[in-house]
Amino acid sequence: SLSQLLTNPRYSIHYYQREYKWQEEQISQLLSDLFSSFYSYYPSRGSSTVSVADFGYYFMGTVIVIQKSTGEQDQAIIDGQQRMTSFTLLILYLQNRLMDLGLNPRNDIEGLLRTNGRDNISFNDATRKEVIRAIRDRSPEIEGKSTSAIFMAARYRNIQRILDEELTQESIPVFFEWILGHVLFVK
């Protein structure tokens, strides 16, 4: 599950990986696919007393990693960095939205993206890190300087717009729980 994938090791995205270049079309398609699966199990858009335990799963694909060196816990993402970056942005949005609604304290979710003050996914360039930090710190200006950072900031704004339109206050925590436990990867 996404939660299991993010919980244990630290991942890094190396300099030789291509830039993050998902367009609005790709993030919209991902969210549309997730909503389609989620709403096939979610009984009504106004219900908040739902358990995701009986919901079905959504298979997201593979993430290929290698151990950086013997004895290290960090793993380098070889394939899947576009999806992992997109899900990082999605989790950050949902975390911020849940906090706005007073539904979930930050530290319940924080362990997915940070452990002991370190990011669980380490990006190879400082400007990507700045975008993640700006989103986490809820900076009003989320701007990027590298190609990847520019695309990350734009995709975060797309996620924000689409989810604000699609999810109700009642469905946000259910959707978040479903994403963490029922979106599956092969690692």
Side-chain angles (χ1 to χ4, degrees):
S1 69
L2 179 60
S3 177
Q4 292 169 322
L5 185 66
L6 292 174
T7 300
N8 290 325
R10 256 179 56 97
Y11 300 101
S12 59
I13 298 175
H14 287 279
Y15 67 90
Y16 54 79
Q17 289 288 337
R18 65 180 184 206
E19 296 280 343
Y20 177 77
K21 288 196 174 182
W22 267 27
Q23 302 284 328
E24 183 174 1
E25 178 182 341
Q26 282 99 357
I27 205 74
S28 294
Q29 185 62 55
L30 170 64
L31 294 173
S32 176
D33 291 348
L34 291 171
F35 291 142
S36 179
S37 184
F38 174 72
Y39 283 127
S40 70
Y41 300 102
Y42 190 66
S44 103
R45 293 182 185 229
S47 177
S48 63
T49 57
V50 174
S51 169
V52 299
D54 296 326
F55 283 27
Y57 295 91
Y58 181 83
F59 179 66
M60 194 57 226
T62 59
V63 175
I64 299 174
V65 298
I66 60 168
Q67 201 73 26
K68 287 173 74 175
S69 65
T70 306
E72 283 191 42
Q73 290 185 324
D74 288 10
Q75 297 178 0
I77 297 175
I78 301 304
D79 184 48
Q81 71 102 347
Q82 303 285 319
R83 282 172 277 141
M84 293 298 288
T85 300
S86 297
F87 272 95
T88 298
L89 297 171
L90 178 59
I91 290 170
L92 284 167
Y93 167 80
L94 288 167
Q95 172 183 273
N96 289 341
R97 184 75 190 278
L98 287 168
M99 286 177 51
D100 289 345
L101 297 171
L103 296 175
N104 206 345
R106 168 166 266 179
N107 49 355
D108 284 357
I109 300 165
E110 190 72 15
L112 294 172
L113 299 177
R114 292 177 64 78
T115 304
N116 299 324
R118 293 178 59 202
D119 290 334
N120 289 352
I121 298 178
S122 174
F123 295 99
N124 62 335
D125 75 61
T127 61
R128 290 190 212 194
K129 291 177 186 177
E130 288 173 19
V131 169
I132 296 297
R133 190 175 314 114
I135 293 168
R136 182 180 293 116
D137 295 344
R138 307 184 64 135
S139 170
E141 294 299 320
I142 300 168
E143 298 299 326
K145 295 174 186 150
S146 69
T147 300
S148 289
I150 290 166
F151 277 82
M152 288 170 66
R155 297 306 70 86
Y156 182 79
R157 286 190 289 275
N158 295 146
I159 289 168
Q160 190 173 32
R161 178 186 51 77
I162 292 167
L163 269 66
D164 284 350
E165 292 171 3
E166 184 66 33
L167 295 174
T168 64
Q169 181 173 337
E170 293 80 20
S171 64
I172 290 169
V174 181
F175 181 70
F176 188 64
E177 185 180 347
W178 177 76
I179 288 238
L180 292 180
H182 288 78
V183 172
L184 303 179
F185 293 80
V186 171
K187 177 180 169 188

